[in-house]
Amino acid sequence: MYRVHPAVRPWRTLFDTRHIRTRLATRLPYRSHLRAMSFTVTTTLPAQLASIDLSAYDAEQSRLMDERCILVDEQDRPYGAADKKTCHLMENINKGLLHRAFSAFVFRPSDGKLLLQQRASEKITFPDMWTNTCCSHPLDDFEEEKIETDQLGVRIAASRKLEHELGIPREQTPVDQFQYLTRIHYLAPSDGMWGEHEVDYILFFTADVTVTANENEIRDFKYVDKAELQTMFAQEGNSFTPWFKLIARDFLFGWWDELLARKNEDGFVVAKSLAGLVDGGKVIKMV
């Protein structure tokens, strides 16, 4: 298990974790509003799954809900597929549906700043919230995104979605330059109807990229250093996706320190320098 970096600990108090279901008893004491939960993940597609009419939502975001996620068990072993709408309805999540996802963190090589995005108001889940550079899913719709060797499918999906959401040309995000760190299994409700239940691959990437934001996906974006992000977390009025808060609370700041400490001879941060920093062979369970 990855040991939490000491620099992270003072910032735990900045996060409201009431809406993130976690079990971290081996690392963190429970607060009064956190309770250990038992949660069963299905390994077969339930016969009866909830659905919903999306006609009241943004048309493009509704269309994207037809994309098919990869269903996995708690050890990230795939067993089927279901559309994003089905995977993100809390009624189905409560029946044990779990799918594969990724969270990409893009850093600028010259100063180590992290590119953040604010999700668009049109988003069906977690609208208007700040989050890491790109969070999405490898899809069952694309054979190449199901390749598990060296996390290739997830890396290909990350390059595809960085182009779709931020307009970053794929030639600027070669898949072999993503540094995989680990996988986390987490569950987070959105608004009662929608939520997330994912095995989330965490990817770091360093490059000077050209951003042309897709306004249907992104409301705003900015580069921040560690202190600026910590200030954002502390400011009232800012809201953040639950997976980003969770990753930041337990991992991000320690890994960021390592990234900055391992600059190359030209003074640039390089994501691949973090190879071997974390044992990525196991899924870190946070449910």
Side-chain angles (χ1 to χ4, degrees), residues 4 8 38 47 77 95 111 132 137 141 168 173 239 244 255 264 268 272 283:
V4 179
V8 180
S38 60
R77 295 178 295 218
K95 294 176 181 177
D111 56 13
N132 52 286
H137 315 86
D141 304 310
I168 299 172
T173 58
S239 60
F244 184 46
W255 293 340
N264 66 16
F268 294 154
K272 300 298 286 185
V283 178

Coordinates of all heavy atoms in Angstrom, one line a residue, residues 4 8 38 47 77 95 111 132 137 141 168 173 239 244 255 264 268 272 283:
V4 N 1.0 7.5 2.6 CA 0.7 8.9 2.4 C 1.8 9.8 2.7 O 2.4 9.7 3.7 CB -0.6 9.3 3.2 CG1 -1.0 10.7 3.0 CG2 -1.7 8.4 2.9
V8 N 0.9 15.9 2.6 CA -0.6 15.9 2.3 C -1.4 16.1 3.6 O -2.4 16.7 3.6 CB -1.0 14.5 1.7 CG1 -2.4 14.5 1.4 CG2 -0.1 14.3 0.4
S38 N -20.2 -1.8 4.0 CA -20.0 -3.0 3.1 C -20.7 -2.8 1.8 O -21.8 -2.3 1.8 CB -20.5 -4.2 3.8 OG -21.9 -4.1 4.1
A47 N -30.1 -8.5 -14.0 CA -31.2 -8.7 -15.0 C -32.0 -7.4 -15.1 O -32.5 -7.0 -16.2 CB -32.1 -9.8 -14.6
R77 N -11.1 -6.8 -13.2 CA -11.2 -7.8 -14.3 C -12.5 -7.6 -15.1 O -13.6 -7.6 -14.5 CB -11.2 -9.2 -13.7 CG -9.9 -9.6 -13.0 CD -10.0 -11.0 -12.3 NE -11.0 -11.0 -11.2 CZ -10.8 -11.7 -10.1 NH1 -9.7 -12.4 -9.9 NH2 -11.7 -11.7 -9.2
K95 N -26.7 -1.5 -7.1 CA -26.8 -2.9 -7.4 C -25.4 -3.5 -7.7 O -25.4 -4.7 -8.0 CB -27.7 -3.1 -8.7 CG -29.2 -2.7 -8.4 CD -30.0 -2.8 -9.7 CE -31.4 -2.4 -9.5 NZ -32.2 -2.5 -10.7
D111 N 7.6 24.6 -15.4 CA 7.4 25.1 -14.1 C 6.6 24.0 -13.2 O 6.4 24.3 -12.0 CB 6.6 26.4 -14.0 CG 5.3 26.4 -14.8 OD1 4.8 25.3 -15.1 OD2 4.8 27.5 -15.0
N132 N -9.2 17.6 -12.1 CA -7.9 17.4 -12.8 C -8.1 17.6 -14.3 O -9.2 17.8 -14.8 CB -7.3 16.1 -12.4 CG -8.3 14.9 -12.6 OD1 -9.2 14.7 -11.9 ND2 -8.0 14.1 -13.7
H137 N -13.3 7.7 -19.6 CA -13.4 6.2 -19.6 C -12.8 5.6 -20.9 O -13.0 6.2 -22.0 CB -14.8 5.7 -19.5 CG -15.7 6.4 -18.5 ND1 -16.3 7.6 -18.8 CD2 -16.0 6.1 -17.2 CE1 -17.0 8.0 -17.7 NE2 -16.8 7.1 -16.8
D141 N -16.5 0.4 -26.9 CA -16.7 0.6 -28.3 C -15.5 0.5 -29.2 O -15.5 0.4 -30.4 CB -17.3 2.0 -28.5 CG -18.6 2.2 -27.7 OD1 -19.5 1.3 -27.8 OD2 -18.7 3.2 -27.0
I168 N -6.6 19.3 -27.3 CA -5.2 19.0 -27.4 C -4.9 18.0 -28.5 O -5.4 16.9 -28.4 CB -4.6 18.5 -26.1 CG1 -4.8 19.6 -24.9 CG2 -3.1 18.2 -26.2 CD1 -4.5 19.1 -23.6
T173 N 0.1 14.3 -27.3 CA 0.0 13.4 -26.2 C 0.3 11.9 -26.6 O -0.6 11.1 -26.5 CB -1.4 13.5 -25.6 OG1 -2.4 13.2 -26.6 CG2 -1.7 14.9 -25.0
S239 N -16.1 24.4 -6.0 CA -16.5 23.1 -5.8 C -15.7 22.2 -6.7 O -15.2 22.6 -7.8 CB -18.0 22.9 -6.2 OG -18.3 23.2 -7.5
F244 N -11.3 13.9 -7.5 CA -10.2 14.8 -7.5 C -9.8 15.2 -6.0 O -8.7 15.2 -5.6 CB -10.5 16.1 -8.3 CG -9.3 17.1 -8.4 CD1 -8.0 16.6 -8.6 CD2 -9.5 18.4 -8.2 CE1 -7.0 17.5 -8.7 CE2 -8.5 19.3 -8.2 CZ -7.2 18.9 -8.5
W255 N 3.0 13.0 -4.7 CA 3.5 12.7 -6.0 C 4.0 13.9 -6.7 O 5.0 13.9 -7.4 CB 2.5 12.0 -6.8 CG 2.1 10.7 -6.3 CD1 2.8 9.8 -5.5 CD2 0.9 10.0 -6.7 NE1 2.1 8.7 -5.3 CE2 0.9 8.7 -6.0 CE3 -0.3 10.3 -7.4 CZ2 -0.1 7.8 -6.1 CZ3 -1.3 9.3 -7.5 CH2 -1.2 8.1 -6.8
N264 N 14.8 17.0 -14.8 CA 15.9 16.5 -15.6 C 17.0 17.6 -15.6 O 16.9 18.6 -15.0 CB 15.5 16.1 -17.0 CG 15.0 17.3 -17.8 OD1 15.2 18.5 -17.5 ND2 14.3 17.0 -19.0
F268 N 13.5 20.6 -16.3 CA 12.1 20.3 -16.7 C 11.6 19.1 -15.8 O 12.3 18.2 -15.5 CB 11.9 20.0 -18.1 CG 12.2 21.2 -19.0 CD1 12.6 20.9 -20.4 CD2 12.1 22.5 -18.6 CE1 12.9 22.0 -21.2 CE2 12.4 23.5 -19.4 CZ 12.8 23.3 -20.7
K272 N 7.6 10.6 -16.7 CA 8.2 9.2 -16.7 C 9.3 9.0 -15.6 O 9.6 7.9 -15.3 CB 8.8 9.0 -18.1 CG 7.9 9.0 -19.3 CD 6.8 8.0 -19.2 CE 7.2 6.6 -19.5 NZ 6.1 5.6 -19.5
V283 N -5.3 -2.8 -6.9 CA -6.3 -1.7 -6.9 C -6.4 -1.3 -5.4 O -6.6 -2.1 -4.5 CB -7.7 -2.3 -7.3 CG1 -8.7 -1.2 -7.2 CG2 -7.6 -2.8 -8.8

